Amino acid sequence: MEFEQRKKAIEYGLQPFLSGESLTLALQIWEDRYAETPAFALQQFARELCDSFTLTMPRARVLLQQSLIRALNDLPTVSPTASPSPNPNPTPQVRPEPPSSTGDPAVHTFTLLVDTLTDRLSKTDGQFLRQYLLNHLSTLHQPEPAQQALRAWLNRRESITVSIPATALTQLINLAYIALCERLGPTQADQALHNTITRIETTNADRRYSVRRLL
Amino acid sequence: MASWPFHRGRFLFMLALVSISPIALAADEVTRTAVDTLWVAASAALVFFMQAGFALLESGMARSKNAVNVLMKNYMDACVGGIIFWLVGFGLMFGQNVSGWFGTTLFALDSPKPWDWTFLLFQMMFAATSTTIASGAMAERIHFRAYLIGACVISGLIYPVFGSWAWGGYGGGDGWLKALGFIDFAGSTVVHSIGGWCALAGIMVLGPRLGRFSPEGESRAIPGHNLSLVALGGFVLWFGWFGFNGGSTLTADASIGKILANTHLAACAGAVGSALFNAFLGRPTLLTVTVNASIGGLVAVTAGCATMDAGFAILTGFIAGIITNLGPRLLVKMRLDDVVDAVSVHGFCGVWGTLAAGLFFSGDLFNLNRIAIQALGIGSALIWGLGTAWITYLLIALTIGIRSTPLHEQRGLDFTEHSEIGYPEFQQSRTFNPEGLHHH
């Protein structure tokens, strides 16, 4: 995960508790002392903030720590301008529709499926899946612009601005399934893919392009 | 001196007796043949019913997205295998066997003698049993057409040629193993081990299902979708086995009781042996393992059910139950993916049962000469069955392809191979586009 992405996530996680100069100062503390430390060091970071900024709400340290972890896990959806509540609903939600400048409904549905699938996994499993897709992009035999667009999307979550044939998208979803089989085992892979499809179908009933057409 | 009428009466009585006796004997022979035919034909029907048992057991152990494919393989291998066996297999197995290695007559029997019909029917069912063993092992990742071609080779070549070694001579001559005194009453080796080795060859060529083993080699369980089907399949197979072993007498005589009792005892002992083994190791008693253990007991006692006493039949089944627990572990260590543990149940237990038939031969226990002949039969079955099946599946893989694509594994073979699904109203993991389903 890139430094800037993590910083954005930390900022997002801090917003329910701090604002203005306090927020900037807290971010500086994180950058100086915790940016390169493992995730479990967030506990120490939260304790330090509670002591420094005298956060008085009940269970402040625990809530702050949870907020930071959640923000890091939900990194792709994090927007620094958003203002989450101190105790947001932990139930995973379907990813908001990503910006799609191509207007290609197949690509749009594809990104929605993979993003939703990734969001349902743990952070490391989601990273494994994206890395697996990156490693196998060349097997799709797509034109370079399409490969570049997919690479940029997988690496930096940039919007895909080119059209990609549905057959290639189907192959990519199958690659994701293979990655899940390798990582989690076939039973969990079946469940993860099925649940993602069901979720997309039930929450995005008015989609222009049925997710089933990519399977 | 006796009067004439008295003499005349005695004379006529004697005359009638002399003239009626051949008729009575002939009538007795007709009755005898009819009863034998009835018994063997009924047994053939029971053996055919085992196909249903295999279908239930194997489909229950597969994921719901592959249930139809497993059922179709069991259904169709009996069909294509039956015709192929009639065409060439029966002749290779039971035709005149001058060399001792294969038969040369009785191909494509068109209008044989009445008993030949009965014998052909019974043996066709045996061929179907041996052929279908491989289907479960290779489930969830083999092309349907590739499987059926393999089934034809097993029915038409692999099974009958080995059968001719052990059982050949119906049309004259003798198989070389049979001539040595190899004991395999109903086919622990001839039917089950050969089927098990074909399954082993198949899974070696196919490779494991996606994700069955982690990149680090860790085994991942892939539970079947319906344990009720597994249990029902176990019961049906057990029931059919009474025809399998009982009918192998080929005559309705008093030995049937012993054969069926031994068969039943060994199946019971297999399940009990497995349960005790797992209890001893502190493991749970799983349904799938228990059902497989009873089938392992049946497989093992098949060779010696006519020639061993009840206590040894129980011991044979008991040890087979333990083998059905250890065998799958060995295969997992070798990273071989056997969906239903067919190699352990049929291959390994067949080996043990054939050895047990030599060890526990009633009235002549532990005869080393007999045991050596049994071992020779076991070894030759392994080399022939595994070797020819491996070449067969490899040739299929290199020509028309044998392994389903990962996309097909994702979608499930019910959809990709048959365009229908087993549970259209409530099937989970529908990871395909249902527009591709066949609509009647």
Side-chain angles (χ1 to χ4, degrees):
Chain A
M1 192 186 302
E2 298 300 323
F3 170 79
E4 283 304 324
Q5 285 178 297
R6 282 185 288 132
K7 188 176 177 184
K8 278 182 184 176
I10 293 295
E11 183 182 356
Y12 180 77
L14 291 173
Q15 278 173 354
F17 305 90
L18 302 168
S19 59
E21 281 190 14
S22 301
L23 180 60
T24 310
L25 190 57
L27 274 173
Q28 193 59 51
I29 293 171
W30 175 81
E31 200 171 324
D32 291 344
R33 294 206 285 273
Y34 298 96
E36 302 305 324
T37 56
F40 58 78
L42 287 175
Q43 190 178 359
Q44 177 62 31
F45 177 51
R47 185 180 294 125
E48 186 174 342
L49 292 186
C50 287
D51 294 343
S52 305
F53 298 99
T54 56
L55 296 173
T56 54
M57 73 176 74
R59 300 173 62 240
R61 186 181 60 76
V62 174
L63 290 174
L64 177 58
Q65 187 184 336
Q66 284 178 349
S67 179
L68 292 170
I69 291 169
R70 203 160 36 237
L72 281 169
N73 287 339
D74 295 345
L75 186 61
T77 63
V78 164
S79 160
T81 54
S83 54
S85 66
N87 189 17
N89 181 3
T91 309
Q93 299 295 315
V94 171
R95 157 171 295 281
E97 293 184 9
S100 176
S101 49
T102 59
D104 183 340
V107 171
H108 185 83
T109 302
F110 163 76
T111 54
L112 183 66
L113 185 140
V114 175
D115 283 340
T116 307
L117 185 61
T118 312
D119 290 349
R120 295 175 68 86
L121 303 172
S122 71
K123 194 172 69 176
T124 50
D125 290 342
Q127 282 171 348
F128 175 85
L129 193 148
R130 284 183 172 272
Q131 192 58 49
Y132 190 92
L133 294 180
L134 276 167
N135 294 344
H136 291 81
L137 272 184
S138 59
T139 62
L140 298 178
H141 304 297
Q142 287 300 302
E144 192 51 35
Q147 294 219 30
Q148 276 182 359
L150 285 165
R151 204 171 290 119
W153 172 68
L154 288 166
N155 267 327
R156 301 184 292 277
R157 312 243 176 190
E158 288 177 9
S159 303
I160 298 175
T161 55
V162 296
S163 285
I164 299 171
T167 49
L169 300 176
T170 301
Q171 276 181 282
L172 267 170
I173 293 169
N174 185 234
L175 280 172
Y177 175 75
I178 296 169
L180 289 176
C181 283
E182 282 193 12
R183 184 77 177 177
L184 309 172
T187 305
Q188 281 182 273
D190 281 334
Q191 287 169 351
L193 186 56
H194 171 75
N195 291 340
T196 302
I197 293 162
T198 307
R199 193 165 193 89
I200 290 174
E201 283 182 326
T202 52
T203 55
N204 295 272
D206 61 341
R207 299 212 64 75
R208 289 172 293 161
Y209 196 95
S210 165
V211 66
R212 296 271 170 197
R213 293 172 65 185
L214 294 176
L215 302 174
Chain B
M1 191 180 198
S3 64
W4 162 241
F6 177 71
H7 282 289
R8 191 178 61 179
R10 254 175 57 172
F11 173 73
L12 287 175
F13 173 72
M14 292 300 289
L15 188 69
L17 199 67
V18 168
S19 57
I20 285 169
S21 284
I23 298 169
L25 283 172
D28 198 37
E29 185 60 32
V30 168
T31 308
R32 172 86 246 163
T33 305
V35 172
D36 287 347
T37 301
L38 184 65
W39 170 239
V40 176
S43 295
L46 283 173
V47 179
F48 177 69
F49 195 44
M50 286 170 69
Q51 290 290 124
F54 280 115
L56 289 166
L57 182 105
E58 293 172 11
S59 67
M61 285 192 185
R63 284 171 288 181
S64 59
K65 62 181 178 180
N66 298 306
V68 171
N69 178 250
V70 172
L71 294 170
M72 279 295 286
K73 284 195 297 180
N74 279 282
Y75 208 93
M76 287 303 293
D77 65 26
C79 299
V80 296
I83 292 170
I84 294 289
F85 186 76
W86 165 79
L87 195 64
V88 289
F90 187 74
L92 280 175
M93 191 160 174
F94 294 107
Q96 191 173 27
N97 197 342
V98 179
S99 64
W101 293 92
F102 56 88
T104 52
T105 57
L106 306 179
F107 295 104
L109 282 177
D110 198 31
S111 53
K113 293 176 205 162
W115 179 252
D116 291 346
W117 280 115
T118 310
F119 189 62
L120 169 68
L121 173 74
F122 189 63
Q123 293 302 332
M124 267 197 292
M125 300 313 166
F126 267 51
T129 303
S130 187
T131 303
T132 208
I133 287 167
S135 71
M138 299 189 285
E140 302 200 320
R141 79 272 206 203
I142 186 172
H143 276 306
F144 187 55
R145 61 184 178 176
Y147 170 76
L148 287 185
I149 291 170
C152 288
V153 177
I154 296 172
S155 301
L157 180 73
I158 300 173
Y159 165 72
V161 166
F162 185 80
S164 79
W165 302 353
W167 290 347
Y170 180 75
D174 252 346
W176 67 271
L177 270 173
K178 183 182 174 186
L180 287 172
F182 179 65
I183 303 162
D184 191 1
F185 177 69
S188 284
T189 288
V190 175
V191 178
H192 294 280
S193 281
I194 285 290
W197 304 146
C198 291
L200 179 58
I203 62 175
M204 285 166 68
V205 174
L206 268 175
R209 288 166 288 175
L210 274 179
R212 175 69 174 85
F213 300 99
S214 73
E216 295 77 32
E218 179 200 354
S219 164
R220 271 91 162 254
I222 308 177
H225 81 285
N226 192 329
L227 294 189
S228 302
L229 292 187
V230 174
L232 196 57
F235 277 122
V236 170
L237 279 169
W238 193 327
F239 178 68
W241 227 285
F242 292 126
F244 195 91
N245 286 358
S248 291
T249 53
L250 299 175
T251 182
D253 64 20
S255 67
I256 292 169
K258 173 186 179 179
I259 290 165
L260 298 194
N262 275 346
T263 300
H264 187 69
L265 286 171
C268 298
V272 171
S274 171
L276 289 177
F277 178 73
N278 283 304
F280 178 74
L281 295 177
R283 294 193 202 132
T285 310
L286 302 179
L287 172 80
T288 48
V289 173
T290 307
V291 169
N292 268 344
S294 61
I295 297 169
L298 289 164
V299 168
V301 83
T302 291
C305 56
T307 52
M308 63 171 67
D309 296 333
F312 286 119
I314 291 172
L315 181 62
T316 301
F318 190 92
I319 292 173
I322 295 171
I323 291 171
T324 55
N325 281 270
L326 298 175
R329 289 167 177 271
L330 176 67
L331 292 185
V332 163
K333 277 191 179 168
M334 298 165 74
R335 296 188 71 165
L336 291 169
D337 181 17
D338 180 350
V339 176
V340 300
D341 293 334
V343 176
S344 302
V345 171
H346 297 275
F348 297 163
C349 289
V351 167
W352 158 240
T354 306
L355 208 55
L359 286 166
F360 307 141
F361 192 85
S362 188
D364 188 19
L365 297 173
F366 312 116
N367 181 316
L368 288 179
N369 187 44
R370 182 175 292 112
I371 294 164
I373 293 167
Q374 295 298 99
L376 179 65
I378 290 164
S380 56
L382 175 65
I383 293 166
W384 169 255
L386 186 63
T388 50
W390 187 78
I391 291 168
T392 301
Y393 288 123
L394 198 64
L395 285 175
I396 294 171
L398 293 172
T399 51
I400 63 165
I402 193 168
R403 174 84 192 215
S404 300
T405 63
L407 185 59
H408 285 200
E409 279 191 70
Q410 172 199 310
R411 291 169 169 169
L413 302 190
D414 291 1
F415 175 70
T416 60
E417 297 279 355
H418 310 288
S419 190
E420 59 184 347
I421 53 176
Y423 307 93
E425 289 169 316
F426 47 83
Q427 183 161 328
Q428 294 291 305
S429 67
R430 292 173 82 166
T431 49
F432 55 85
N433 183 2
E435 284 176 13
L437 288 173
H438 179 70
H439 301 289
H440 295 286

